[in-house]
Amino acid sequence: MTTGTWAEPTVGATSTALARLSLNTATTKYWTLREAVDGAVGAGLPAIAPWRDRVHEVGVAEAARMIADAGLRVSSLCRGGFLTAEDDADAKAALDDNRRAIVEAATLGTRELIMVVGGLPAATAPGGPARREPGGRDLVGARQRVADRIGELAPFAAGHGVRLVLEPLHPIFAADRAVISTLGQALDIAEPFPADVVGVVVDTYHVWWDPDLQRQIARAGTAGRIASYQVCDWILPLAADALLSRGHVGDGYVDFPTITRWVAETGYTGDVEVEIFNESVWDAPGDQTIATLAERYLEHVQPFL
Amino acid sequence: MTTGTWAEPTVGATSTALARLSLNTATTKYWTLREAVDGAVGAGLPAIAPWRDRVHEVGVAEAARMIADAGLRVSSLCRGGFLTAEDDADAKAALDDNRRAIVEAATLGTRELIMVVGGLPAATAPGGPARREPGGRDLVGARQRVADRIGELAPFAAGHGVRLVLEPLHPIFAADRAVISTLGQALDIAEPFPADVVGVVVDTYHVWWDPDLQRQIARAGTAGRIASYQVCDWILPLAADALLSRGHVGDGYVDFPTITRWVAETGYTGDVEVEIFNESVWDAPGDQTIATLAERYLEHVQPFL
């Protein structure tokens, strides 16, 4: 009821403002799951998005208990995917691993399993040079394999109440990490499946540049397929490892108010995850990182939700 | 008329095979225009695509004479653009510079002026960090300014028989170099104008990842807007300066046969330019660079044209 002046935020008010903010554990990379859970709770965050490596360290059942006991939601599990192998044995291993990830997501009590779908077979390693021999560069074929294998996984996911969440990655990663490069393409692959079985994530870092973004966010929202809204910034110059070129919201070029409004206009009411890969962010104390991301969220994202 | 055996290629045969190959002078960065002209002629190339800095060194009239006397075509002039300024004075300066570039293209005898349209006002420099202050991140607005200013330049270009050729740049450059990020977006901006006044370039490095590429190449061809087909490869790891992460055709991840077929299927009969920004390519002797690019062209591109 104040007019013309600003009240000091109270803890209660801050908690309400943070009611949709989720800590993706990749942001506090060097923290164990226990530390990340405690850090999120301490900062007043209601949700967490664990990566599987941190879950495996303690075991899935214990991780589920730890998070539930802390009163946190699991906004998503990161990550499944890597579905582009040409070789049958590699493909089978990938499908098996994804089935394990689906079970883990169900155990953790989240319905959203983030899928990074994998790069071209020509890639020697993520970020590495292309193989010298010809072949492995058929991008159209690799994309079709992703669609086919999502089809193979969909019944198993549905049976566990888990949604396969396709993540378009920035085209900088099309060769070596994910052949899904736009939100529109992710939605095309999702379309044959029910919205509660195959969804998409809108990650500002990966999609901010897309001239078709507003339309595709609206399409995703209308279809009920937005499973997660992830925020971090596009910063320059790129880090030596381009994967680590993500910045805190507000440090780079992304127009967060505009994209956040587009997401909000679809009626999306889910969590907003902050997922930052950045060596200097990782080197900062975890509590400081959470304080910064909460502050930036309140400035650049939350008012537009 | 040989069957079952291959004849040794003769000089004449090689020249025929190279009949559409053009040397973009950025590929032999340290050569003067005179050296590049001589190098192209010596290697049996029929065309050259000069950058303006090398043209200015000798003067436009002299450059035109030098190239014509050597019997080379000018496949395009690189480059105009940088049309995203918010400030009126900067915008006017950019439009003036583009009018000079249009006159230079006409003088050189090419109708194709490549346009790199510029990044966000928030960019401190190409490849540099974003300004700290808010603003300058309105990507939708920046894109609209490009469209508006193409409209301002179009009559002048038409009057000089020059086509403004919109170059979609890889989304890695959307913040700092070009807010046109896809071929489809470039075609949307071109659509209100005659095909001989506003065109597009298909540069494999920039567009290879695009899930909509086949359809947009077909659309560009149907509309008669493909002004140039440029080839170079997407290599990893990225160079410290991402701008220099281009490789010789065949050294990276791009599926040249497929994309080249898509271009050829539109009926495109123009030149194929090789434009490589890469420190180690630049450090190689220019003649060696041309020999390599011709060899790679004959292996990965020309058979599919």
Side-chain angles (χ1 to χ4, degrees):
Chain A
M1 300 298 284
T2 56
T3 54
T5 61
W6 290 91
E8 285 298 305
T10 66
V11 173
T14 304
S15 293
T16 304
L18 298 179
R20 295 171 65 184
L21 180 58
S22 177
L23 173 67
N24 186 296
T25 65
T27 305
T28 50
K29 183 182 174 67
Y30 302 128
W31 266 358
T32 62
L33 185 61
R34 174 83 267 164
E35 291 170 316
V37 164
D38 292 345
V41 169
L45 271 56
I48 195 166
W51 275 59
R52 291 179 70 200
D53 55 348
R54 290 300 189 185
V55 169
H56 294 168
E57 279 175 5
V58 296
V60 182
E62 172 57 23
R65 236 186 333 264
M66 186 192 301
I67 296 170
D69 287 351
L72 295 177
R73 284 191 300 278
V74 179
S75 55
S76 73
L77 176 65
C78 295
R79 61 190 186 177
F82 300 95
L83 297 172
T84 55
E86 287 179 308
D87 175 74
D88 283 348
D90 290 346
K92 183 179 179 308
L95 290 171
D96 287 346
D97 185 59
N98 277 285
R99 290 190 191 95
R100 284 191 294 274
I102 288 165
V103 172
E104 291 166 16
T107 306
L108 288 166
T110 180
R111 53 173 299 109
E112 314 295 1
L113 175 63
I114 307 293
M115 306 285 282
V116 173
V117 300
L120 289 171
T124 51
R131 295 183 200 289
R132 296 299 308 177
E133 59 266 34
R137 290 161 173 80
D138 173 11
L139 187 54
V140 175
R143 286 167 165 166
Q144 186 57 52
R145 287 194 296 281
V146 169
D148 294 344
R149 288 166 190 168
I150 290 295
E152 290 189 56
L153 290 171
F156 188 86
H160 287 77
V162 168
R163 173 150 70 174
L164 305 171
V165 180
L166 304 176
E167 177 153 21
L169 255 58
H170 192 287
I172 194 178
F173 303 119
D176 57 326
R177 285 191 168 89
V179 295
I180 296 185
S181 306
T182 65
L183 190 55
Q185 181 197 2
L187 288 166
D188 288 346
I189 294 174
E191 207 153 71
F193 306 97
D196 59 353
V197 178
V198 182
V200 296
V201 47
V202 178
D203 182 325
T204 54
Y205 180 81
H206 292 304
V207 301
W208 71 275
W209 57 270
D210 185 351
D212 206 26
L213 187 59
Q214 181 176 15
R215 195 167 70 91
Q216 297 299 338
I217 287 177
R219 178 184 167 205
T222 301
R225 293 195 195 269
I226 302 180
S228 181
Y229 179 42
Q230 297 184 343
V231 292
C232 75
D233 216 334
W234 176 265
I235 57 171
L236 293 176
L238 293 175
D241 177 353
L243 186 68
L244 308 188
S245 285
R246 305 190 192 193
H248 273 296
V249 165
D251 281 350
Y253 286 94
V254 173
D255 182 354
F256 287 99
T258 297
I259 297 176
T260 301
R261 276 196 206 99
W262 292 342
V263 171
E265 282 165 6
T266 70
Y268 177 73
T269 55
D271 289 319
V272 182
E273 289 182 15
V274 177
E275 185 190 41
I276 303 174
F277 299 169
N278 180 309
E279 201 64 59
S280 70
V281 171
W282 290 342
D283 288 342
D287 286 327
Q288 179 186 316
T289 295
I290 297 188
T292 302
L293 70 84
E295 177 192 311
R296 300 300 180 86
Y297 171 79
L298 291 173
E299 181 178 355
H300 298 281
V301 179
Q302 192 272 342
F304 309 99
L305 274 176
Chain B
M1 301 297 282
T2 56
T3 53
T5 62
W6 292 90
E8 286 297 306
T10 65
V11 173
T14 304
S15 294
T16 304
L18 298 179
R20 294 171 65 183
L21 181 57
S22 177
L23 174 67
N24 185 296
T25 64
T27 306
T28 50
K29 183 182 175 66
Y30 302 128
W31 266 358
T32 63
L33 185 62
R34 173 83 266 164
E35 290 170 318
V37 165
D38 292 345
V41 169
L45 271 54
I48 195 166
W51 276 59
R52 292 177 71 200
D53 55 347
R54 289 301 188 185
V55 168
H56 293 169
E57 280 175 4
V58 296
V60 183
E62 173 57 23
R65 234 185 335 266
M66 187 192 299
I67 296 170
D69 288 351
L72 296 176
R73 285 192 299 278
V74 179
S75 54
S76 73
L77 176 64
C78 296
R79 60 188 186 179
F82 300 94
L83 298 171
T84 54
E86 286 179 309
D87 175 74
D88 283 348
D90 291 345
K92 183 180 180 307
L95 290 170
D96 287 347
D97 186 59
N98 276 285
R99 291 191 189 93
R100 285 191 293 274
I102 288 165
V103 172
E104 290 166 17
T107 306
L108 289 166
T110 181
R111 53 173 297 107
E112 314 295 1
L113 175 62
I114 307 293
M115 306 286 281
V116 173
V117 300
L120 289 171
T124 50
R131 295 184 201 288
R132 296 299 308 178
E133 60 265 34
R137 290 160 173 82
D138 173 11
L139 187 53
V140 175
R143 286 168 165 165
Q144 186 57 52
R145 288 195 295 281
V146 169
D148 294 345
R149 288 167 190 167
I150 290 295
E152 289 189 57
L153 290 171
F156 188 85
H160 286 77
V162 168
R163 173 150 69 175
L164 305 171
V165 180
L166 304 176
E167 178 155 21
L169 256 57
H170 192 286
I172 196 177
F173 302 120
D176 56 325
R177 286 192 167 90
V179 294
I180 295 185
S181 305
T182 65
L183 190 54
Q185 181 197 2
L187 288 166
D188 288 345
I189 295 174
E191 207 153 69
F193 306 97
D196 59 352
V197 177
V198 182
V200 296
V201 47
V202 177
D203 182 324
T204 54
Y205 181 81
H206 293 303
V207 301
W208 72 275
W209 57 271
D210 185 350
D212 206 26
L213 187 58
Q214 181 175 15
R215 195 168 71 91
Q216 296 299 337
I217 286 175
R219 178 185 168 204
T222 301
R225 294 196 196 267
I226 301 180
S228 181
Y229 179 42
Q230 297 184 344
V231 292
C232 74
D233 217 334
W234 176 266
I235 57 171
L236 292 176
L238 294 176
D241 178 353
L243 187 68
L244 309 186
S245 285
R246 306 190 193 195
H248 273 296
V249 166
D251 282 349
Y253 287 93
V254 173
D255 181 354
F256 287 100
T258 298
I259 297 176
T260 301
R261 277 196 205 99
W262 291 343
V263 171
E265 282 165 6
T266 71
Y268 177 73
T269 56
D271 289 319
V272 181
E273 289 182 16
V274 177
E275 184 191 42
I276 303 174
F277 299 168
N278 179 309
E279 201 64 59
S280 70
V281 171
W282 290 343
D283 288 341
D287 287 326
Q288 180 187 316
T289 295
I290 297 187
T292 301
L293 70 84
E295 178 192 310
R296 301 299 182 87
Y297 171 80
L298 291 173
E299 181 179 354
H300 298 281
V301 179
Q302 193 272 340
F304 309 98
L305 274 177

